[in-house]
Amino acid sequence: MDDATESSPALKAFSLLEIIAAMDHAPTLAELTETANLPKPTLHRWLSMLEGAELLRRLPDGRRYELASRATALAFAILSNNPGSTQRHQILERVVRTLGESCNLTVLEGSEVMYLDRVEAAAPLRVAFQKGSRVPAHASASGKMFLAMMPPAKCDRVIGTLTLERYTANTLADADDLRAELSRIKCDGFAFDDEEFLSGLFCVAVPIFDRNGRDCIAALALQAPVMRLSRSNAAERLPVLREAAEALAVTLQ
């Protein structure tokens, strides 16, 4: 941490949040002490402060820390209102004009997928979701994409926290079935929601990566009734979705 950060308690806490958010697993106090280059008593005091502010939470083992819902809600608000939001919305509008179906931009918050933005198609038969809507990770194309792109240890940990509720006959409500599906998604680079959350609704999602092309920071998904979108024709939409995902990645950096 640099001198400017050390001069401000608020910046110290923010810097620590940045460190934890950038790690690919929930770190322990010892790992954070080494990464942040701070004495354990000092770091422990900051962690306790952030926990009290509901910006961090400890995992059930009591040893590891991850961002809490208040921190992810703040990140959502920043992304929703920063200068790139207009550009992102325009990209979604182009996708809808080209493919004729509704699409959404999502981020992962805990065990749920949250709609950062959405553009509805003009088609009379559609399912309307609002910006800020949430859907379960295990029963959505975007959610399964996020899980599939995680490091294996983190994915297993997240799956262990999920309530695998069955929403339709197609919902993957068994952890082993879900893991098998995630392996396929990681290999293919796209994910389907084949009537897994709502009967009659199909969705295909592609990942949006960070500037290093490593971490899946968001997902772009196309959504339509099964009479217009299904496994038999979803692949035809992938080139447009992937091109848009690359353009969206630039706005999120």
Side-chain angles (χ1 to χ4, degrees), residues 20-225:
I20 294 172
M23 299 183 80
D24 62 5
H25 65 284
T28 62
L29 177 63
E31 289 174 316
L32 287 171
T33 301
E34 182 177 352
T35 303
N37 193 28
L38 290 166
K40 273 190 179 181
T42 301
L43 187 55
H44 191 271
R45 185 169 65 252
W46 293 0
L47 289 169
S48 297
M49 179 183 67
L50 291 169
E51 272 193 277
E54 298 181 347
L55 292 167
L56 283 182
R57 73 180 189 94
R58 262 186 281 196
L59 296 184
D61 65 9
R63 298 176 56 251
R64 298 182 178 275
Y65 294 83
E66 68 178 6
L67 299 184
S69 58
R70 188 177 181 187
T72 52
L74 175 62
F76 171 74
I78 292 171
L79 281 173
S80 296
N81 295 287
N82 74 3
S85 61
T86 299
Q87 187 179 357
R88 288 193 291 273
H89 194 77
Q90 291 171 343
I91 294 170
L92 296 186
E93 289 177 330
R94 288 201 298 270
V95 172
V96 173
R97 286 196 301 269
T98 302
L99 298 179
E101 303 294 353
S102 302
C103 72
N104 52 68
L105 173 65
T106 63
V107 292
L108 184 67
E109 182 175 321
S111 62
E112 294 180 312
V113 169
M114 184 161 55
Y115 285 34
L116 186 63
D117 200 358
R118 179 173 170 86
V119 174
E120 297 286 350
L125 182 59
R126 64 183 189 273
V127 177
F129 287 92
Q130 302 299 318
K131 178 179 175 180
S133 295
R134 298 167 184 265
V135 293
H138 74 286
S140 62
S142 293
K144 291 187 293 181
M145 176 60 67
F146 287 120
L147 293 171
M149 295 299 169
M150 288 178 182
K154 182 176 182 180
C155 181
D156 284 340
R157 179 173 59 80
V158 173
I159 290 176
T161 69
L162 298 179
T163 300
L164 299 179
E165 182 176 346
R166 186 177 294 280
Y167 295 92
T168 72
N170 290 354
T171 305
L172 296 174
D174 177 81
D176 289 337
D177 291 342
L178 178 59
R179 288 188 177 93
E181 172 76 349
L182 298 180
S183 295
R184 182 200 64 76
I185 292 168
K186 188 169 185 178
C187 180
D188 292 344
F190 60 87
F192 292 151
D193 165 5
D194 192 355
E195 300 186 79
E196 295 164 45
F197 182 54
L198 291 174
S199 296
L201 189 67
F202 190 93
C203 184
V204 55
V206 296
I208 299 172
F209 292 106
D210 65 4
R211 68 182 62 193
N212 298 317
R214 185 186 67 178
D215 295 328
C216 179
I217 56 174
L220 172 65
L222 192 74
Q223 192 177 67

